[in-house]
Amino acid sequence: MIGCPKCAQVGTIMKAGYVRNKQRYVCKACNYFFTIASTEEPHKRQKSRRHQTTIIDIAKSVGVSNSTVSRALHGHADINPETRQAILDMAAQLDYQPNQLAYNLVKSRTNTIGMIVPEFHNRFFPNVIMGAHQVLTEQGYNLTIMQSNESFAVEVANTKAMLANRIDGLLISLTQETNSFEHLQVFEKRGIPLVLFNRVCDDVHAPKVVVNDFEAAFMAVEHLIKNGYERIAHLGGPLNLLVSRERMKGYRAAMEKYGKPVEEELVIQGMLSQQKARIYGKYLLDLENRPDAIFAVNDSAAIEIMLMAKEKGIRVPDELGVVGFSDNPESAYIGPGLTTVRQPTIEIGKTTARWILQMIDDEEEFSDGEERILKTELIVRGSSLRHR
Amino acid sequence: MIGCPKCAQVGTIMKAGYVRNKQRYVCKACNYFFTIASTEEPHKRQKSRRHQTTIIDIAKSVGVSNSTVSRALHGHADINPETRQAILDMAAQLDYQPNQLAYNLVKSRTNTIGMIVPEFHNRFFPNVIMGAHQVLTEQGYNLTIMQSNESFAVEVANTKAMLANRIDGLLISLTQETNSFEHLQVFEKRGIPLVLFNRVCDDVHAPKVVVNDFEAAFMAVEHLIKNGYERIAHLGGPLNLLVSRERMKGYRAAMEKYGKPVEEELVIQGMLSQQKARIYGKYLLDLENRPDAIFAVNDSAAIEIMLMAKEKGIRVPDELGVVGFSDNPESAYIGPGLTTVRQPTIEIGKTTARWILQMIDDEEEFSDGEERILKTELIVRGSSLRHR
DNA sequence: TTGTATGCGTTATCAC
DNA sequence: GTGATAACGCATACAA
């Protein structure tokens, strides 16, 4: 029990916070404040087993203030080269590792861009990541990747986490399920740059990077038509995905342009899973009056079709033309080769990354849904070249 | 120009810091300190255009202290249900988003696991990521992915960034170039959990998750031998990769076991690029006395071999058996099908993730290089089945 | 050129 | 049940 240094009373003393690592007390009797150097417990500093050395440690060791250390570490001007060197040496000696968390907190920016992708199953998103990663690292940004796993709930959770972690910008490609967009509109509201790519939507005011799905689909179908196919089916993706809708439109437009009637029983709109592809494929191939060509919304589906055709003894491309979308690696190697649409995946990544950096630098206003449309390329292989 | 409230002089006033958000001044004439509520500029708070609402804002609005708000937000006990609800409502109304940075700083943990992979070119790492991601998100952890791009320098930079961002643990697969390991030993020194996978090394005391490369290679070569191939070449990877060395050993062991002499001109050790694969493949196929089978260190190389064989009119599998490693998606579709070794990629990811979580929870000591070895599976396809 | 003091947004300790 | 206030580690405006 301690007594008051002023009125010498005992039992009237209570703690009153800390001052410079010393316990501060107040005497209730005489209202006198005083401190006592906390002897047995040097409060925090160096307390925890795993104390990470901080700039304060360096400052103490060198005998300067923490601000000087901070300046030295950041190569600010106006600093004595000798102190500076001493600080740098001490930092190395103490194995100093800057704490990015503290830095970010005080700067309220993280130099980190977030990216949310729906899946890692195909080459598409890994490639986009590679492209974005390259641009971002060149500019000194980190890239944090999350995966929504085609689940709306996970996507929302991911955006929340990104927000909480105060990323400087978000690149996102939506899930198949995503039909509501509040979780994205938050970014707009808070002025955090946002760029959508590939799986985009019209309900959020943010730049979008896409490919010319409509044109690509149009060209793919046109290619089939020019190769003599007449009754072309379309195995499409879920209609809440813009890309599916665009490809569907492209299909219909091409059919119309060349005067081919679209038989609705040959047009399917569904999910993208492999299982579904098999089911729809079977349906199409088992039709009494089966199509002589199929334009599939992606390569996985197209490949399923080709495998089933083989099982059923239907010859590709003579009895059945097939065109896919995306140019998966296996498409070059299967059967007679799968004709498909190649997407500039790396370029998509680079473009989205450049755009968001620009938004950050320019503090550019959210554009009213501006779109950048990258060009695809039709890769013609055996599956669509009928031997006449 | 303001005058001194005490001596009423003007022009003797200078700023002297802030006190409770008020500008503090001192009169140089009479040495009197005083403050003036900064009217036009309420200092910080709400100053920045993009002020994020904080718990303090909530506290003020509700009329309680920030500690109460903090407790309410975290569902602590001992809080009046009404105040609690009021706080929650206000939080929603003000669109409060917790600042993870501040949270992390004070807790000095981030709930984030870092992962560094050398490349995104093959399916391997994306799959590992999927596995790890699943386990980590289930346990409430975030996963931050970085890519070293097969560059040692980038790898070192990445580990530094991870360190700076105070991740709670690191999962890493090394680059082909990595021959020194100080950047990893730092983790050990600082007690940050570290797990190596796939591309591991013996120079750092950390758990490793690998597959049975030796056995797998042994079985692959054994399979070729049992299918009647005699002079089996090995197109190996760079020897500083442990996986390459193990596969090489497995190859040699199998050859030895079955009394096949290893002809050193049929054994190549090199880098993994596609270009190199073509060069080495050409060398092997152009040999005067060319091998009748090739065991390649990965599928990309094996596929290059198959393509070149086709170009040269060498029939696979009759004139040349080929076995790869990894089971890339295209391997199932090429030519007669590529026999290969399937790695449990998803499981690798899950295992590394589980392990690092365990290390975090148990504060487990760094094990002395303990290893977990997952099983591979030989996928037999046409490329190794000679028609006798 | 260097030091002082304050703030970034939270949590946690302790007094009440 | 609630309120002060000290950290967390760093940057920086001002003062010196």
Side-chain angles (χ1 to χ4, degrees):
Chain A
M1 191 71 81
I2 44 182
C4 173
K6 193 174 181 194
C7 68
Q9 289 213 44
V10 176
T12 58
I13 309 300
M14 41 184 285
K15 292 189 177 181
Y18 288 94
V19 171
R20 300 190 144 260
N21 284 350
K22 295 185 213 154
Q23 181 63 59
R24 185 162 176 250
Y25 296 92
V26 59
C27 171
K28 291 191 82 172
C30 64
N31 202 29
Y32 177 68
F33 282 86
F34 60 98
T35 58
I36 295 182
S38 55
T39 47
E40 49 181 3
E41 189 194 359
H43 198 48
K44 292 286 174 190
R45 191 71 45 205
Q46 293 287 1
K47 176 201 99 178
S48 67
R49 292 173 281 108
R50 290 177 185 171
H51 173 74
Q52 318 270 28
T53 80
T54 72
I55 54 169
I56 298 186
D57 299 323
I58 301 177
K60 280 183 181 162
S61 307
V62 177
V64 295
S65 79
N66 52 345
S67 33
T68 306
V69 174
S70 175
R71 283 186 282 250
L73 257 27
H74 286 316
H76 280 200
D78 287 347
I79 186 164
N80 187 323
E82 289 170 21
T83 16
R84 177 218 185 80
Q85 192 55 50
I87 289 170
L88 260 36
D89 290 346
M90 185 56 73
Q93 184 184 326
L94 295 182
D95 187 30
Y96 170 73
Q97 296 281 357
N99 186 325
Q100 192 74 27
L101 297 176
Y103 181 91
N104 291 343
L105 180 60
V106 64
K107 303 283 276 189
S108 66
R109 75 196 305 263
T110 54
N111 262 280
T112 299
I113 299 296
M115 177 158 174
I116 301 178
V117 298
E119 47 103 352
F120 266 179
H121 256 95
N122 297 299
R123 293 285 330 146
F124 185 86
F125 291 110
N127 279 346
V128 174
I129 291 172
M130 287 173 67
H133 182 268
Q134 188 182 327
V135 169
L136 293 176
T137 44
E138 270 171 14
Q139 301 299 320
Y141 279 81
N142 285 132
L143 175 62
T144 288
I145 299 156
M146 293 192 181
Q147 196 210 165
S148 55
N149 206 19
E150 297 286 12
S151 150
F152 175 69
V154 175
E155 179 177 292
V156 172
N158 283 346
T159 55
K160 269 209 189 307
M162 292 286 189
L163 233 37
N165 280 295
R166 296 296 191 267
I167 49 158
D168 292 341
L170 178 66
L171 313 174
I172 188 170
S173 191
L174 307 178
T175 76
Q176 293 183 33
E177 298 178 3
T178 305
N179 284 318
S180 97
F181 307 97
E182 290 89 12
H183 61 302
L184 297 180
Q185 285 151 358
V186 173
F187 285 78
E188 183 182 5
K189 209 182 306 171
R190 307 184 62 179
I192 301 172
L194 171 70
V195 176
L196 296 155
F197 66 96
N198 180 249
R199 310 265 200 89
V200 305
C201 68
D202 288 329
D203 305 68
V204 51
H205 285 208
K208 314 180 200 326
V209 175
V210 294
V211 298
N212 55 349
D213 286 287
F214 175 87
E215 269 180 52
F218 185 96
M219 282 162 44
V221 175
E222 184 175 49
H223 163 80
L224 282 169
I225 293 171
K226 289 194 172 169
N227 275 270
Y229 296 99
E230 298 274 340
R231 302 187 50 254
I232 303 171
H234 178 42
L235 178 40
L239 280 194
N240 57 329
L241 286 190
L242 198 60
V243 292
S244 306
R245 293 203 297 275
E246 288 298 309
R247 292 174 199 177
M248 177 70 81
K249 281 189 207 162
Y251 159 77
R252 290 184 186 277
M255 296 292 277
E256 184 172 359
K257 172 169 177 192
Y258 289 92
K260 311 284 177 199
V262 171
E263 303 169 45
E264 291 304 330
E265 70 166 4
L266 299 186
V267 178
I268 295 178
Q269 156 264 319
M271 298 308 267
L272 297 172
S273 77
Q274 187 169 355
Q275 185 201 10
K276 287 291 169 55
R278 274 199 90 73
I279 294 173
Y280 299 140
K282 182 172 165 48
Y283 158 79
L284 284 174
L285 296 186
D286 282 352
L287 278 178
E288 205 148 322
N289 192 11
R290 76 159 187 259
D292 62 356
I294 299 179
F295 166 52
V297 72
N298 63 26
D299 276 12
S300 324
I303 285 177
E304 282 303 319
I305 301 272
M306 288 176 76
L307 294 178
M308 291 176 65
K310 195 166 198 173
E311 286 168 16
K312 290 179 184 293
I314 303 170
R315 281 170 300 130
V316 173
D318 289 345
E319 294 178 275
L320 183 74
V322 181
V323 173
F325 209 107
S326 283
D327 195 27
N328 289 3
E330 59 268 35
S331 305
Y333 298 114
I334 190 173
L338 173 63
T339 295
T340 184
V341 176
R342 176 176 296 161
Q343 307 196 60
T345 48
I346 304 279
E347 204 48 49
I348 293 175
K350 288 187 178 176
T351 305
T352 55
R354 285 200 204 99
W355 205 341
I356 205 150
L357 290 183
Q358 187 190 333
M359 289 172 76
I360 291 172
D361 289 347
D362 302 359
E363 309 216 355
E364 188 181 297
E365 288 304 308
F366 271 67
S367 64
D368 202 13
E370 193 186 338
E371 224 175 34
R372 211 147 294 179
I373 301 176
L374 304 183
K375 290 263 175 280
T376 54
E377 183 188 359
L378 184 68
I379 308 291
V380 177
R381 300 201 182 96
S383 69
S384 62
L385 296 177
R386 204 173 229 171
H387 309 108
R388 320 192 200 187
Chain B
M1 189 72 78
I2 43 181
C4 174
K6 194 174 179 193
C7 67
Q9 291 214 40
V10 176
T12 57
I13 309 300
M14 40 185 289
K15 291 189 177 180
Y18 288 95
V19 171
R20 300 188 146 263
N21 283 352
K22 295 184 209 153
Q23 180 64 59
R24 185 162 177 253
Y25 296 91
V26 59
C27 171
K28 292 192 82 169
C30 64
N31 202 31
Y32 176 69
F33 283 85
F34 60 96
T35 59
I36 295 181
S38 53
T39 48
E40 51 182 0
E41 188 194 359
H43 195 47
K44 294 287 173 189
R45 188 77 40 207
Q46 294 289 1
K47 177 200 99 179
S48 67
R49 291 171 282 108
R50 291 176 184 173
H51 174 75
Q52 317 270 26
T53 79
T54 72
I55 53 170
I56 298 186
D57 298 324
I58 301 178
K60 280 183 182 162
S61 307
V62 177
V64 294
S65 77
N66 51 346
S67 11
T68 305
V69 174
S70 177
R71 282 186 284 251
L73 257 25
H74 285 324
H76 280 201
D78 286 348
I79 185 162
N80 186 324
E82 289 170 18
T83 23
R84 176 220 186 78
Q85 193 55 51
I87 289 171
L88 259 36
D89 290 345
M90 185 56 74
Q93 185 185 326
L94 295 182
D95 187 29
Y96 170 73
Q97 296 281 356
N99 186 324
Q100 192 75 26
L101 297 175
Y103 181 93
N104 292 342
L105 179 61
V106 64
K107 304 284 276 189
S108 65
R109 77 196 304 264
T110 53
N111 261 281
T112 299
I113 299 296
M115 179 159 174
I116 301 178
V117 298
E119 47 104 352
F120 267 179
H121 256 94
N122 297 298
R123 293 285 330 144
F124 185 86
F125 291 109
N127 280 346
V128 174
I129 291 171
M130 287 173 67
H133 184 267
Q134 188 183 326
V135 170
L136 292 175
T137 43
E138 271 171 13
Q139 301 299 320
Y141 278 82
N142 285 131
L143 175 61
T144 287
I145 299 156
M146 293 193 182
Q147 196 210 166
S148 55
N149 206 18
E150 297 286 12
S151 150
F152 175 69
V154 176
E155 180 177 292
V156 172
N158 283 347
T159 55
K160 270 209 191 305
M162 292 286 190
L163 234 35
N165 280 296
R166 297 295 191 268
I167 49 157
D168 292 341
L170 179 66
L171 313 174
I172 188 172
S173 191
L174 307 177
T175 77
Q176 293 183 33
E177 296 178 3
T178 304
N179 284 318
S180 97
F181 308 96
E182 289 88 13
H183 61 302
L184 298 181
Q185 286 151 358
V186 173
F187 285 79
E188 185 181 2
K189 209 181 307 171
R190 308 184 62 178
I192 301 172
L194 172 71
V195 177
L196 296 155
F197 66 96
N198 180 248
R199 309 267 200 89
V200 305
C201 70
D202 289 329
D203 304 68
V204 52
H205 285 208
K208 311 179 204 325
V209 175
V210 294
V211 298
N212 55 350
D213 286 287
F214 175 88
E215 269 180 52
F218 185 97
M219 282 161 44
V221 175
E222 186 176 47
H223 163 80
L224 281 169
I225 293 173
K226 289 192 171 168
N227 275 273
Y229 296 100
E230 297 274 341
R231 302 186 52 254
I232 302 171
H234 178 42
L235 178 41
L239 280 194
N240 57 329
L241 286 190
L242 199 59
V243 293
S244 307
R245 293 203 298 275
E246 289 297 309
R247 292 174 197 177
M248 178 70 80
K249 281 189 207 163
Y251 159 77
R252 288 182 185 278
M255 295 294 275
E256 185 171 358
K257 173 170 176 191
Y258 288 91
K260 309 287 178 199
V262 171
E263 302 170 45
E264 290 304 331
E265 72 167 3
L266 298 188
V267 179
I268 294 177
Q269 156 263 318
M271 298 309 267
L272 297 173
S273 77
Q274 186 170 355
Q275 184 201 11
K276 287 291 169 57
R278 274 200 91 74
I279 294 173
Y280 299 140
K282 181 171 165 50
Y283 158 79
L284 284 173
L285 296 185
D286 282 352
L287 278 176
E288 206 149 321
N289 192 10
R290 73 159 189 258
D292 63 356
I294 299 179
F295 167 52
V297 72
N298 62 27
D299 276 13
S300 324
I303 284 176
E304 282 302 319
I305 301 273
M306 287 176 76
L307 294 179
M308 291 176 64
K310 196 167 198 174
E311 287 168 15
K312 289 177 184 295
I314 302 170
R315 281 170 299 131
V316 174
D318 289 345
E319 294 179 274
L320 184 73
V322 181
V323 174
F325 209 108
S326 282
D327 194 28
N328 290 2
E330 58 268 35
S331 304
Y333 299 113
I334 191 173
L338 173 62
T339 295
T340 184
V341 176
R342 176 177 297 162
Q343 307 196 61
T345 47
I346 305 278
E347 205 48 52
I348 292 175
K350 289 187 178 175
T351 306
T352 57
R354 286 200 204 99
W355 205 341
I356 205 150
L357 290 183
Q358 188 189 332
M359 290 172 75
I360 292 172
D361 289 347
D362 302 357
E363 308 216 357
E364 190 182 298
E365 289 302 308
F366 271 67
S367 64
D368 202 12
E370 193 187 338
E371 225 176 35
R372 212 148 293 179
I373 302 176
L374 303 183
K375 291 263 174 278
T376 55
E377 182 188 0
L378 184 69
I379 307 292
V380 177
R381 299 201 183 96
S383 68
S384 62
L385 296 177
R386 204 174 227 169
H387 310 108
R388 319 189 203 191

